[in-house]
Structure formats: C-alpha cells, structure tokens
Amino acid sequence: MSTHKNINRICVAATFFSIVLTVLLMNGRTLGLLPIVSEASSGDLFTTNDLDGNWDTASATRIVLSDSGSTISGNGAYVNGGNVYIVCA
C-alpha cells in the first residue's frame, strides 16, 4: 500500500506515457513524423577533404593557447586583448 493516495495513478500514467513515447519514436516515420535532421545532410557530415589523411601542415596556421599569452604563426587569425580571433577558414 502506498503512503500517498495518488502514487499508483502517477506510476501508471508515467508508464503509459513512456510506452506511448517509445512507440512513437520507434515508428515515427510510419506514423508521419519527420526527423529533425534531414536525410540529405545527416550522411554528409564529413567532406572528402576531411577524410583525407594525407594533408600537409606546411601552410596551416598554428595557434598555441596559453594563460600568459597565445601565439599565432600563419595567416587567418589574430590575438587581441587575450582573445583569439579566427578570421579566415
């Protein structure tokens, strides 16, 4: 016997809504629910350039972060007032 009068009702309702949510998530596409991320972009997270392991660091901009002052060697970034700004990709 529960100490609170409505605890059994709350447990039954929570179980019911958990089952409904699980069924909706498992069968969302057949029920007409659309995913948040489109299928076209979900598989294209990395470009062929990202997956190429034979890249050269000779032209890369190096950023070294430090409490005493960050240093940058190369183009496309600068330090101003202790903040590092990347201005070119």
Side-chain angles (χ1 to χ4, degrees), residues 35-46:
I36 294 173
V37 177
S38 68
E39 290 179 11
S41 65
S42 64
D44 299 331
L45 297 176
F46 298 103

Side-chain angles (χ1 to χ4, degrees), residues 44-62:
D44 299 331
L45 297 176
F46 298 103
T47 64
T48 54
N49 192 26
D50 293 331
L51 299 174
D52 182 15
N54 298 320
W55 48 275
D56 184 18
T57 60
S59 63
T61 300
R62 293 185 168 279

Side-chain angles (χ1 to χ4, degrees), residues 2 9 18 31-34 36-37 40 44 47 53 62 77 79 81 85 89:
S2 65
R9 291 181 185 152
S18 297
L31 295 174
L33 300 175
L34 298 175
I36 294 173
V37 177
D44 299 331
T47 64
R62 293 185 168 279
V79 178
Y85 297 92

